[in-house]
Amino acid sequence: MFIMPIVGTKEMLKKAYIGKYAIGAFNVNNMEIVQGIMEAAHEKKSAVILQASEGARQYAGQDYIVSLIKTASAQYPEIPVAIHLDHGSCFEVCKECIDGGFTSVMYDGSRHDFEKNIKITKQVVEYAHAHGVVVEAELGRLAGVEDLVSVDAKDAIFTDPDQAVEFVERTGCDSLAIAIGTSHGAYKYSGEPYLDYERLEKIGKLLPDYPIVLHGASTVIQHYVKKCNEYGGKVNGAKGVPEEMLRKAATMAVCKINIDTDIRLAMTAAVRQALIEHPENFDPRKYLKEGRNAVKEMVMHKIEKVVGSSNSI
């Protein structure tokens, strides 16, 4: 039987650009999340990107994460799967992931000035490309919380379209995460949700056929927020990016949409419910199974209704 190898993101994003959909990039931290995502991808016939943040690497261990994804990929050989580093903070972390089996890395130099961001991104690109790995970079700065690192809304910086062109040309990065109004975490907007489609359209025209990435793009699905709170949680006032806004972005130049918070909410809501409704249960397999099923359900919904990649393989 043919087994699809773990792949990079270049070809799947190119196909998404042409097809006017995006690929869902889902953050993973443990076995149940990996299983839920892969079951969903199998049922919806979609490529997926499984990504690990530095926090996930510290929690689960890089070798565990890579092995889990490889095992899951072997179970569903027809599904193109990429292993991606989310928000690598420095060249050394990116190098560790490249050497450790990741097929795609994201270097986040958004906290640096333009020239320093270019310098380190180019260093990552040169090493990655020499090892057959693709690189995502970031220009602009999102507000919110990512792996306990907080960026205040006043420090958020929308991506300058002309700088984006220069950045891509000088670094050679394979895709670019931009800031157009999304933010990290569950509390994305205090007012009305907003995405700067005009800015996105201009970047798309200046960088034709080039894949753009949206970070901080969880919808913060209210069904899961409500369930979390109903079963003892305190996730009040959480608000994400409306699904129709993300779907529109995916028909433009956006080819990769990152989803993390919705996975956390779905799994936590299901586990909370299972423990409250069955307080006699102390078998992790039973309540974690409910969490895994919730992740699968949520990812299936994202693939079909948000990124639009159903039946694309």
Side-chain angles (χ1 to χ4, degrees):
M1 179 179 66
F2 172 74
I3 296 179
M4 172 73 74
I6 302 294
V7 299
T9 59
K10 182 171 286 188
E11 289 304 315
M12 62 173 72
L13 297 188
K14 180 179 179 181
K15 188 176 179 182
Y17 190 103
I18 295 170
K20 294 189 178 299
Y21 61 87
I23 301 296
F26 302 98
N27 284 68
V28 300
N29 297 285
N30 61 17
M31 180 184 74
E32 287 77 17
I33 292 175
V34 171
Q35 290 174 326
I37 294 168
M38 289 302 298
E39 288 175 13
H42 170 70
E43 292 206 15
K44 290 298 179 181
K45 298 180 174 59
S46 170
V48 285
I49 298 167
L50 302 190
Q51 56 187 29
S53 66
E54 288 190 30
R57 290 172 68 245
Q58 292 167 5
Y59 169 75
Q62 178 171 296
D63 290 344
Y64 274 96
I65 290 173
V66 172
S67 295
L68 283 169
I69 296 174
K70 286 184 175 180
T71 298
S73 178
Q75 187 174 356
Y76 300 106
E78 79 284 5
I79 303 297
V81 180
I83 307 178
H84 178 73
L85 168 65
D86 189 28
H87 287 281
S89 61
C90 61
F91 170 78
E92 289 73 22
V93 168
C94 293
K95 181 179 183 299
E96 287 175 8
C97 290
I98 293 166
D99 295 342
F102 282 59
T103 56
S104 175
V105 296
M106 184 258 182
Y107 169 65
D108 181 1
S110 60
R111 68 191 182 281
H112 299 308
D113 63 43
F114 186 64
E115 289 298 328
K116 187 171 182 179
N117 191 355
I118 285 178
K119 179 181 178 181
I120 303 176
T121 300
K122 187 175 181 181
Q123 183 184 14
V124 173
V125 168
E126 289 173 352
Y127 188 83
H129 285 182
H131 291 78
V133 173
V134 296
V135 177
E136 173 188 325
E138 182 166 355
L139 185 64
R141 186 180 303 149
L142 274 62
V145 179
E146 173 71 18
D147 264 358
L148 302 180
V149 177
S150 178
V151 177
D152 194 271
K154 65 180 175 58
D155 296 318
I157 301 172
F158 278 24
T159 305
D160 179 272
D162 294 321
Q163 278 196 335
V165 175
E166 181 182 353
F167 186 90
V168 170
E169 289 177 347
R170 290 176 61 186
T171 64
C173 61
D174 302 288
S175 62
L176 185 68
I178 63 172
I180 59 169
T182 57
S183 64
H184 293 296
Y187 302 90
K188 299 185 185 300
Y189 301 102
S190 57
E192 288 300 310
Y194 169 76
L195 290 184
D196 191 341
Y197 293 115
E198 185 177 344
R199 186 179 300 268
L200 171 59
E201 184 177 22
K202 185 172 182 180
I203 293 172
K205 287 181 178 178
L206 291 173
L207 291 169
D209 302 319
Y210 187 83
I212 299 301
V213 178
L214 280 189
H215 285 226
S218 281
T219 306
V220 188
I221 299 172
Q222 292 303 300
H223 165 70
Y224 297 118
V225 172
K226 182 179 179 181
K227 184 179 284 190
C228 274
N229 293 337
E230 181 181 349
Y231 290 99
K234 293 182 180 180
V235 193
N236 299 311
K239 184 189 295 186
V241 188
E243 293 181 345
E244 62 273 15
M245 294 176 71
L246 294 170
R247 187 69 197 96
K248 180 178 178 179
T251 65
M252 300 171 71
V254 172
C255 299
K256 174 176 176 279
I257 293 179
N258 286 16
I259 298 164
D260 185 9
T261 299
D262 281 332
I263 291 176
R264 300 183 189 194
L265 286 170
M267 187 166 199
T268 300
V271 171
R272 280 188 174 277
Q273 181 179 3
L275 291 173
I276 292 295
E277 292 184 348
H278 300 281
E280 77 285 354
N281 174 42
F282 57 89
D283 185 345
R285 293 172 295 183
K286 293 182 178 179
Y287 54 79
L288 289 177
K289 180 180 179 181
E290 295 303 317
R292 179 177 64 193
N293 290 341
V295 169
K296 175 185 176 181
E297 176 187 80
M298 189 277 298
V299 172
M300 288 176 65
H301 172 77
K302 293 287 185 181
I303 288 174
E304 182 176 354
K305 300 296 185 181
V306 180
V307 301
S309 62
S310 295
N311 300 308
S312 60
I313 59 172

